Amino acid sequence: MALSLLSSLRLSLPAMEELLKQIQEYKTEIEAFTVSDEKAAEEFRVKWLGTKGLVKSIMGEMKNVPNEKKKEFGQILNEFKQFAEARYEQLKQSTVNGRQATASNIDLSLPGDTIPVGTRHPISLMTNRIISIFQRLGFAVAEGPEIEDDWHNFTALNLPEHHPARDMQDTFYVQQNPDWLLRTHTSNIQIREMQKGKLPIRIICPGRVYRNETVSARSHCFFHQVEGLYIDENVSFADLKQTLYFFAKEMYGSDVRIRFRPSYFPFTEPSAEMDISCMLCKGAGCNVCKKTGWLEILGSGMVHPNVLTNCGIDPNKYTGFAFGMGIERPALLKYGINDIRLFSENDVRFLKQFTSAV
Ligand code: 2NL
């Protein structure tokens, strides 16, 4: 008897449902609330979160909730309170942002915020310069994978297995597949372009390449290269010489002299290395050119007929020339850097000395 009297004072089931509905309506109202200034945000706080606010008053209903429902209801009310508090923080913040944006508060005479601008990496600067010279001659940029299979990196280039020239290009192999390696030159790009079968080809191929070498101030296990390839009917050694002469003049100045020395590469025949007159001593002989007056800058030659055949191109119809040059060495020279490792250490004190990126 006493028990039923007590529970009749408490909320009946329909009354509890009413309370839940009320909370839902409050939430909708809070969500829709917008404020234009701090005063309106304060009004929100008083109405909802103040000592006589609606959140407090609905929390007061807790005492009427039957014991077995207290836990469940407590959670709902708590969540509602947090909801109102979070909305208040949001509204308050929006008035702060709003105030920052009003014209009367902006001092237009203040200097602007400086946006830090990066610098181009010296290797990128050098690569881009080389590319843009060849682009003016109609060469298109082509790229390819740094992880390559043995065929595209070696075999297709007239470097069959056990060829002694492979020794000089020892590289890193991928553990999962003994056929995969890190490319030793960007020639794999040219091989892939030739395989596509669309002729003529006139491409310039920049990229990172790898060699299994001890790292020192003068050499690294990875470095950068630009290779070029021109294939069409009637491409001759004279075309090769004029193209590379034009490049040298654009790159090193119109008074540069060049010389070709016969050389050997398995993928070209005949082959030649190109030297430029030393820009530091103008050919007189200095420490940089080892008193010769000449600096070796690239290797070149007429594409070997075997290479063309390997890529499905008829060597009786087409001929072409190719060349390759490293980027690090000329960059060291141009910027007066004495340690190749600086290029890959990412020391900002080194990097920020180069031309800005804009
Ligand atoms: C060097 C020499 C060279 C090539 C690269 C090449 C590529 C194909 C076919 C034939 Cl697909 N040749 N590239 C040719 C001659 C020399 O590079 O000393 N590079 C740093």
Side-chain angles (χ1 to χ4, degrees):
M1 181 66 191
L3 199 73
S4 73
L5 183 74
L6 203 69
S7 57
S8 73
L9 289 172
R10 295 197 169 155
L11 289 174
S12 61
L13 223 58
M16 296 233 327
E17 262 168 28
E18 195 58 36
L19 198 58
L20 281 174
K21 217 176 108 206
Q22 179 72 75
I23 290 174
Q24 203 44 55
E25 277 168 18
Y26 279 168
K27 273 188 162 177
T28 314
E29 195 182 329
I30 288 172
E31 214 151 40
F33 207 95
T34 53
V35 297
S36 53
D37 54 20
E38 277 161 284
K39 198 167 147 264
E42 178 58 14
E43 278 164 16
F44 175 92
R45 192 193 64 77
V46 172
K47 177 175 177 183
W48 295 98
L49 300 164
T51 38
K52 292 186 183 131
L54 289 167
V55 171
K56 264 257 156 57
S57 109
I58 206 154
M59 295 291 267
E61 293 291 335
M62 194 60 185
K63 63 178 184 296
N64 300 326
V65 173
N67 279 342
E68 65 275 16
K69 290 272 180 195
K70 269 200 168 27
K71 190 167 171 222
E72 185 192 333
F73 234 77
Q75 267 171 5
I76 292 170
L77 286 173
N78 240 336
E79 191 253 330
F80 172 63
K81 185 172 169 238
Q82 282 165 6
F83 178 81
E85 286 169 347
R87 182 72 185 138
Y88 171 60
E89 286 304 320
Q90 248 179 12
L91 293 170
K92 211 166 56 170
Q93 195 55 45
S94 77
T95 66
V96 172
N97 295 344
R99 188 181 50 200
Q100 279 173 353
T102 61
S104 59
N105 284 314
I106 298 174
D107 182 352
L108 294 171
S109 68
L110 286 173
D113 292 337
T114 50
I115 299 162
V117 175
T119 49
R120 291 245 185 271
H121 194 281
I123 296 296
S124 303
L125 289 170
M126 204 68 188
T127 308
N128 292 346
R129 268 190 76 194
I130 296 169
I131 287 173
S132 69
I133 294 169
F134 283 103
Q135 275 177 330
R136 286 163 56 202
L137 293 174
F139 284 74
V141 176
E143 290 183 306
E146 287 180 25
I147 303 173
E148 189 51 280
D149 56 56
D150 182 278
W151 193 84
H152 287 93
N153 191 80
F154 290 126
T155 312
L157 282 149
N158 209 26
L159 275 153
E161 225 183 317
H162 309 304
H163 191 289
R166 280 196 181 203
D167 277 359
M168 301 200 309
Q169 302 197 13
D170 187 21
T171 183
F172 302 98
Y173 285 80
V174 177
Q175 241 169 16
Q176 291 97 312
N177 188 336
D179 194 43
W180 291 347
L181 47 86
L182 299 188
R183 69 180 178 195
T184 58
H185 38 214
T186 57
S187 314
N188 67 324
I189 304 171
Q190 287 122 290
I191 296 295
R192 287 177 177 279
E193 288 298 320
M194 286 192 274
Q195 280 183 304
K196 290 180 185 167
K198 243 188 98 202
L199 291 152
I201 294 171
R202 196 154 50 198
I203 49 171
I204 188 92
C205 309
R208 181 174 290 174
V209 301
Y210 301 81
R211 299 276 165 94
N212 182 8
E213 268 190 52
T214 311
V215 177
S216 72
R218 315 212 74 237
S219 67
H220 211 292
C221 60
F222 65 82
F223 52 97
H224 299 79
Q225 224 195 4
V226 171
E227 284 206 11
L229 177 72
Y230 179 23
I231 298 181
D232 202 348
E233 292 178 39
N234 302 317
V235 175
S236 71
F237 201 88
D239 297 320
L240 179 158
K241 288 180 79 173
Q242 281 308 311
T243 303
L244 295 178
Y245 183 36
F246 174 82
F247 164 70
K249 281 193 294 183
E250 291 301 305
M251 192 74 186
Y252 294 101
S254 53
D255 56 348
V256 75
R257 284 168 294 129
I258 59 165
R259 72 174 185 189
F260 286 90
R261 281 176 293 106
S263 184
Y264 171 79
F265 301 110
F267 26 85
T268 46
E269 182 60 34
S271 306
E273 278 171 272
M274 188 174 93
D275 299 339
I276 55 165
S277 49
C278 179
M279 69 286 258
L280 295 170
C281 61
K282 303 269 177 250
C286 65
N287 284 337
V288 171
C289 61
K290 300 200 192 84
K291 307 267 190 285
T292 64
W294 296 97
L295 294 168
E296 180 192 321
I297 61 159
L298 58 81
S300 63
M302 300 306 291
V303 179
H304 198 292
N306 289 354
V307 176
L308 294 175
T309 309
N310 289 342
C311 300
I313 295 171
D314 180 1
N316 294 314
K317 185 169 178 207
Y318 290 99
T319 51
F321 68 76
F323 55 90
M325 66 188 103
I327 306 296
E328 269 77 356
R329 241 170 264 283
L332 290 173
L333 250 175
K334 181 171 171 59
Y335 298 111
I337 302 162
N338 57 14
D339 193 325
I340 202 168
R341 290 169 293 197
L342 283 164
F343 288 136
S344 51
E345 277 171 359
N346 283 341
D347 185 334
V348 282
R349 292 168 304 178
F350 170 74
L351 295 173
K352 71 182 179 190
Q353 297 176 63
F354 300 93
T355 312
S356 138
V358 281

